[in-house]
Structure formats: C-alpha cells, structure tokens
Amino acid sequence: EVQLVESGGGLIQPGGSLRLSCAASGFSVSNIYVSWVRQTPGKGLEWVSVIYSSGSTYYADSVKGRFTISRDISKNTVYLQVSSLRADDTALYFCAGNLPFHPWGQGTLVTVSS
Amino acid sequence: DIQMTQSPSSVSASVGDRVTITCRASQGIGSWLAWYQQKPGKAPKLLIYAASSLQSGVPSRFSGSGSGTDFTLTISSLQPEDFATYYCQQAQSFPPWTFGQGTKVEIK
C-alpha cells in the first residue's frame, strides 16, 4: 500500500524553525514528485513546495527564501525545513505524491504563536 | 499565478439529488484540472484528474467535464457519504499549482 506519514509539527514562536518529515512507504521518493500543501481555515489549500524526481525544487512565493524542501532517499523521506516562521504560517501541513496529488499524508499541525 | 474560482461556496442538497459544482480558471489550462473531496479531519482525496478521468476506486456517480477555463464536477445521485468539501486544482506541468476555495456540500 502506498502511504505518506508526516511528523514534526508543533507549537513554535514567531521567527523559529521546524523540520517537517514525510515518510513514504510502498514507493520510492526518488521516483515521483513530492509536494507540501498547507491548509488554513482562512486561506484554504495552498501548495507550498515540490521536489521532483530529478531533485529540482520549487516554492510558492509566500515561502521562498524561508522554507527548504529536501529528501533522503535512503530513508525514503522528504523534509520541509520551515524557518523565519510567522503567524500566517500556522496551518495543517500535508505532503502529497505525484501530480495531481495522490496519495496524501494525514497532516502535521504547525502553530506559530508567542 | 492562475486563479481558480469555485461556485457555489456551499450547497444544501438531499440524498439522491444531482449536484453540480463549477470551477473557473483565470486562464486556459487545457484539461489539467483535478477534483478532490475532503471530509472533516481527513486529508483531501483525489476524485477526478485530467478534467474527466475517474480515479481508481471512485464511484461512477462522480463525473467531471470541461476544458480551457470552465470545468464542472457532477454528483449524479448524492449519497450520505458524499457530504464533504470539494476542491478543484489546476495541475499544469509547472508550479505553482493552485486550488479553488472549496465548495461545501451540506445536508438539506
């Protein structure tokens, strides 16, 4: 069964950093696109970043320069380093495979608050 | 960036009703359109890709149509498990990949 499982979210102060993880099973992260998508009640679903099978990476303008996507093929895991966090980065962060997005993980909550 | 606009933002319907949701792209996207269903506390689930192709395992009461800028998701006979929020997404080859704001299908 193909599956993605996120972890690493939590409560963090403005300006802080976290590393979110997306562990894959049933397929290799080296063979597909893996994206991060976040969801807030106010802004709905927002694509954040993608790492292609080639290793190329892209970011939404809202996170460019603050977030970094990477992967560890040996661990079959994709990461999202989130830095210089702001209150409006508070969201449920999902990872998702392929395009269009399938499968999705269950999400990990990031709350930015002092 | 391509903007995606869904309508209506919510719809009240009864079991057995036919429900239609529309999605408009701010510029032409060919058939690069996907539809997702999301239930409370769950991740979105892919229903339709390439505007009209049914994802494996999705019931045939769901269908999609359209191309260019105007797209439609139709549920032919609403079932109790279909009460959820539906999102469209433009899925052209190059990011950013944008979503509509969602349509909540509620029980009448």
Side-chain angles (χ1 to χ4, degrees):
Chain A
E1 181 189 7
V2 294
Q3 191 175 12
L4 295 168
V5 178
E6 302 95 334
S7 60
L11 175 62
I12 188 76
Q13 292 188 336
S17 299
L18 283 174
R19 189 177 78 162
L20 309 183
S21 299
C22 171
S25 57
F27 61 91
S28 172
V29 298
S30 64
N31 293 336
I32 65 165
Y33 299 5
V34 176
S35 285
W36 286 92
V37 177
R38 64 185 180 183
Q39 185 170 34
T40 62
K43 292 184 69 177
L45 290 166
E46 179 187 18
W47 171 81
V48 171
S49 181
V50 63
I51 185 164
Y52 285 2
S53 54
S54 65
S56 296
T57 59
Y58 296 92
Y59 301 90
D61 287 345
S62 58
V63 307
K64 205 171 292 183
R66 300 187 300 121
F67 290 12
T68 302
I69 192 170
S70 63
R71 66 187 179 189
D72 185 331
I73 294 172
S74 68
K75 295 183 178 179
N76 212 25
T77 298
V78 172
Y79 302 99
L80 187 69
Q81 180 74 35
V82 296
S83 304
S84 302
L85 284 164
R86 311 184 301 223
D88 64 357
D89 294 316
T90 294
L92 184 60
Y93 285 75
F94 296 99
C95 61
N98 301 299
L99 177 70
F101 299 151
H102 173 79
W104 293 65
Q106 83 290 350
T108 187
L109 182 63
V110 174
T111 303
V112 184
S113 175
S114 55
Chain B
D1 297 355
I2 299 173
Q3 307 304 313
M4 307 300 293
T5 303
Q6 284 181 237
S7 61
S9 56
S10 66
V11 57
S12 294
S14 301
V15 172
D17 285 353
R18 181 182 184 91
V19 173
T20 299
I21 299 168
T22 63
C23 178
R24 175 164 289 175
S26 61
Q27 63 190 74
I29 57 171
S31 295
W32 299 106
L33 193 282
W35 289 97
Y36 300 87
Q37 176 194 66
Q38 187 179 32
K39 296 181 179 180
K42 299 292 188 180
K45 171 189 171 185
L46 178 64
L47 296 178
I48 302 278
Y49 62 95
S52 61
S53 296
L54 201 64
Q55 174 69 5
S56 175
V58 174
S60 59
R61 63 181 178 272
F62 291 93
S63 63
S65 65
S67 66
T69 60
D70 294 307
F71 301 88
T72 300
L73 173 71
T74 299
I75 309 171
S76 60
S77 178
L78 198 65
Q79 298 302 300
E81 60 269 30
D82 301 337
F83 292 96
T85 300
Y86 294 84
Y87 296 93
C88 63
Q89 179 206 19
Q90 62 87 4
Q92 289 196 115
S93 58
F94 203 79
W97 298 302
T98 44
F99 293 86
Q101 80 280 13
T103 296
K104 188 172 184 180
V105 177
E106 300 174 298
I107 300 172
K108 196 173 203 176

